[in-house]
Amino acid sequence: MRDFSSDHAALALNTASLGHNLEGHGAGWASEQVIDACAERGFGSIVFWRREIGERAVKIGERVRSAGLTVAGLCRTPFLVGTQATDVESVMDDFKRSIDMAAALGAPVLTIVVGGVHPGTKGVAESLKIVADRVAEAAPCAQASGVKLALEPLNPVYAGNRSCLTTLRDAVDLCDRIAAPNVGIAVDVYHVWWDTELERQLKRAGAERIYGYHLCDWLAETNDVLLDRGMMGDGVADLKAIRSFVEGAGYRGPCEVEIFSANDWWKRDPGEVLDVMVERFRNCC
């Protein structure tokens, strides 16, 4: 495993950790202020959300690189299935726009959160088939733009309305089914910490298909399964064991801190949040 105790250049900020993913949350820092704060603290890279980029993808990407950082990724595609994804043409058009934004930003990875159970179906099998078809359709466009597509399985609690893709096993199965060279997986501690098949499925995926590793913690007494994630070290996830599995499978990329925390971390000064991230990354991850 890599030693982060004195070198946190692999640390990446997902801007959702400062409340930038949802309107009305966080301190409202502009992207430029976030970039400068990360550079001052020795972060290696940043992951942005589409809603904060708007029409400024090229400008923000250039600003990141001029600060000595890299853009590690972009969140996210539209839901591909579920009640918000019944208009196929609109979904695929928005999928294409998300790919274009990632390319303009210089983000090598675009995260896919697939959406919940599709209307007219039960369980997840049929929904996952639709996901496979829609990702396969978009993959050549992303490949031509130099963008990798990362399927991110979410915790099973979200299966009905946010992600019918809930296990790493199913994510790797989808990669096998789609069989595109630029389709892989993103591994988020919040969603996989409980999975006893994690090490085996990561080995199945292999380094060439692991596109991202996301950090936070699962609070034993969580108050909100969406907006009450813990800072690393505050919960029950075995962070060092999980990273040993991820790196044992060959991953050597950024470690992206992504904390949705409406009633705790999003209410704090962003500078404090970033400082705590650095300390916890060095000592807990």
Side-chain angles (χ1 to χ4, degrees):
M1 284 173 59
R2 292 174 288 179
D3 181 5
F4 296 147
S5 62
S6 59
D7 178 7
H8 59 277
L11 178 59
L13 171 72
N14 184 302
T15 59
S17 301
L18 304 181
H20 289 191
N21 180 37
L22 293 178
E23 202 71 51
H25 290 281
W29 277 12
S31 297
E32 290 79 5
Q33 190 172 3
V34 174
I35 293 165
D36 289 344
C38 287
E40 290 168 4
R41 290 164 173 80
F43 281 67
S45 50
I46 302 180
V47 174
F48 294 98
W49 285 72
R50 290 173 65 192
R51 63 168 296 274
E52 64 192 305
I53 297 299
E55 302 297 322
R56 303 189 302 146
V58 172
K59 181 179 179 180
I60 291 175
E62 291 174 346
R63 183 71 175 76
V64 169
R65 289 181 283 277
S66 70
L69 303 167
T70 61
V71 178
L74 178 67
C75 294
R76 57 176 172 72
T77 65
F79 288 156
L80 305 181
V81 289
T83 57
Q84 299 178 47
T86 55
D87 185 333
V88 179
E89 184 176 357
S90 294
V91 168
M92 297 310 295
D93 285 348
D94 197 21
F95 199 166
K96 175 62 164 56
R97 285 193 294 271
S98 68
I99 292 169
D100 290 343
M101 180 180 286
L105 187 63
V109 175
L110 174 63
T111 301
I112 300 174
V113 175
V114 301
V117 174
H118 206 58
T121 71
K122 300 288 186 180
V124 302
E126 289 302 315
S127 298
L128 290 175
K129 289 178 182 177
I130 298 170
V131 169
D133 290 343
R134 294 182 180 178
V135 174
E137 180 180 339
C141 171
Q143 177 78 357
S145 298
V147 175
K148 296 178 180 179
L149 303 175
L151 291 159
E152 181 178 7
L154 301 195
N155 190 288
V157 72
Y158 301 119
N161 65 348
R162 298 186 71 84
S163 179
C164 59
L165 178 61
T166 62
T167 67
L168 196 60
R169 180 195 63 227
D170 285 343
V172 179
D173 285 349
L174 276 182
C175 291
D176 288 343
R177 181 184 299 175
I178 296 165
N182 62 323
V183 173
I185 60 171
V187 183
D188 189 319
V189 164
Y190 195 72
H191 302 305
V192 304
W193 69 271
W194 55 272
D195 191 344
T196 56
E197 288 193 21
L198 186 58
E199 183 176 18
R200 185 163 71 88
Q201 296 303 328
L202 286 166
K203 288 180 178 177
R204 269 188 70 205
E208 68 279 1
R209 293 194 295 191
I210 303 174
Y211 294 163
Y213 176 51
H214 304 174
L215 283 168
C216 61
D217 213 332
W218 181 280
L219 301 176
E221 301 297 331
T222 186
N223 294 309
D224 185 322
V225 293
L226 180 62
L227 300 178
D228 190 32
R229 298 188 184 193
M231 180 66 71
M232 297 87 73
D234 287 346
V236 296
D238 191 342
L239 300 176
K240 291 190 176 180
I242 294 172
R243 185 162 68 87
S244 75
F245 298 157
V246 173
E247 294 194 358
Y251 182 76
R252 292 295 184 273
C255 300
E256 171 189 337
V257 180
E258 184 181 38
I259 299 174
F260 293 8
S261 179
N263 293 315
D264 187 356
W265 296 100
W266 286 0
K267 291 185 175 181
R268 304 193 191 196
D269 177 78
E272 176 196 353
V273 177
L274 295 175
D275 289 339
V276 174
M277 282 182 191
V278 172
E279 186 272 328
R280 297 293 182 86
F281 182 68
R282 287 186 160 193
N283 292 293
C284 300
C285 299

